[in-house]
Amino acid sequence: MNFNELHHQKKPLLIANVWDATSAIIAQQSGYQALGTSSAAIAAMLGYDDGEMMSFDELLYIVKRIKTVSHLPLSVDLEAGFGESADKIVENLKQLSCLGVVGVNLEDSKIVNGVRQLTDATVFANKLKQVRLKLNLEGHPLFFNIRTDTFLLNHEQALQETLYRGQLYAKSGADSLFVPCITQSNDIKTITNEVALPLNVMCVPNLPDFEQLKSLGVSRISMGNFIHATVHSQLKTLMLTIMSQQSFNEVFSHESH
């Protein structure tokens, strides 16, 4: 089953969001069907804030390491594309495609002066259309998971704006629609009914369980940076415990040791 087909199977694709070679190996050993990078997790691992603060070359290196250790289909979170022009974004995407990456996330918001803002929908859709056309002409048919940040940014008319953007992006080359921070069943069902794209939702508090999401028509479930954040919270707790107890007992207290 190829990456596109994974979005049309009987149950939602649960994609493992990874940030380095080790997390990719663990996800593969755990039986996941596909991997997706988390831009926020990779940025944090490298000591950056999220929002294209790291360089594309740094991201590319991490992607290379992940591809080296895993044979699973890999989608890369490219944020807003790491480039202002369609040509620059295409250049970046071609490098990913040449590594064997099968898909990418592109988002319709950018961080400007420290604040994330929605990009004008028409401007974004036109750029998306240009990028898709150029890639297809050059033989790089990547799967485009297009993220809209309407719910993430608490847009006043989040559902209506999502429907508008989703329908517009469907006509502009999107293969699926990613709506982070959506949690209400009625909103999810409305989108799956009215936007002709597979819907991707993300791990957030109060998200319905996977069986409910399946019944609502969701096609893809991702983790964002929350798994990475949880792992590092546990690491911080362990480091503090070692310092306070002046002992390594806690390191070996887990039954797996």
Side-chain angles (χ1 to χ4, degrees), residues 50-51 53 80 84 109-119:
D50 193 20
M53 296 297 107
E84 290 297 327
S109 70
K110 295 195 74 171
I111 295 178
V112 180
N113 297 323
V115 179
R116 184 171 290 278
Q117 302 174 9
L118 277 171
T119 303

Side-chain angles (χ1 to χ4, degrees), residues 157-204:
Q157 301 291 328
L159 179 58
Q160 290 75 9
E161 186 68 16
T162 301
L163 295 175
Y164 166 66
R165 287 175 180 256
Q167 292 162 359
L168 181 60
Y169 301 163
K171 298 173 183 176
S172 304
D175 294 299
S176 62
L177 180 67
F178 179 22
V179 188
C181 298
I182 190 171
T183 59
Q184 296 300 309
S185 296
N186 289 341
D187 292 340
I188 293 171
K189 187 62 176 175
T190 299
I191 294 170
T192 59
N193 283 342
E194 298 192 25
V195 178
L197 291 172
L199 177 63
N200 179 186
V201 299
M202 188 180 77
C203 165
V204 287

Side-chain angles (χ1 to χ4, degrees), residues 52-237:
E52 298 189 8
M53 296 297 107
M54 61 182 162
S55 69
F56 177 72
D57 286 343
E58 288 171 308
L59 173 62
L60 196 64
Y61 174 76
I62 300 300
V63 172
K64 287 179 182 178
R65 295 306 309 149
I66 291 171
K67 283 298 300 175
T68 298
V69 301
S70 173
H71 60 72
L72 293 176
L74 176 64
S75 180
V76 171
D77 183 353
L78 199 61
E79 302 190 59
F82 283 81
E84 290 297 327
S85 68
D87 285 343
K88 179 58 179 175
I89 294 171
V90 167
E91 179 185 323
N92 293 338
L93 292 174
K94 285 167 58 179
Q95 291 188 66
L96 292 173
S97 177
C98 288
L99 291 178
V101 169
V102 296
V104 291
N105 283 10
L106 291 169
E107 59 200 37
D108 65 0
S109 70
K110 295 195 74 171
I111 295 178
V112 180
N113 297 323
V115 179
R116 184 171 290 278
Q117 302 174 9
L118 277 171
T119 303
D120 178 86
T122 303
V123 171
F124 180 83
N126 287 338
K127 184 179 291 186
L128 174 61
K129 189 179 296 185
Q130 293 176 50
V131 170
R132 167 61 81 195
L133 178 61
K134 289 174 183 291
L135 276 181
N136 287 349
L137 288 173
E138 298 188 37
H140 298 277
L142 291 168
F143 185 97
F144 280 7
N145 188 40
I146 302 302
R147 182 179 117 177
T148 183
D149 283 341
T150 45
F151 278 85
L152 184 149
L153 294 174
N154 296 312
H155 190 282
E156 290 182 2
Q157 301 291 328
L159 179 58
Q160 290 75 9
E161 186 68 16
T162 301
L163 295 175
Y164 166 66
R165 287 175 180 256
Q167 292 162 359
L168 181 60
Y169 301 163
K171 298 173 183 176
S172 304
D175 294 299
S176 62
L177 180 67
F178 179 22
V179 188
C181 298
I182 190 171
T183 59
Q184 296 300 309
S185 296
N186 289 341
D187 292 340
I188 293 171
K189 187 62 176 175
T190 299
I191 294 170
T192 59
N193 283 342
E194 298 192 25
V195 178
L197 291 172
L199 177 63
N200 179 186
V201 299
M202 188 180 77
C203 165
V204 287
N206 302 316
L207 184 73
D209 65 31
F210 298 167
E211 191 62 32
Q212 287 179 281
L213 292 173
K214 174 185 175 182
S215 70
L216 295 170
V218 167
S219 299
R220 173 167 162 173
I221 306 167
S222 53
M223 303 171 176
N225 67 320
F226 290 101
I227 306 304
H228 174 267
T230 298
V231 168
H232 279 263
S233 177
Q234 294 170 345
L235 173 61
K236 182 178 181 180
T237 298

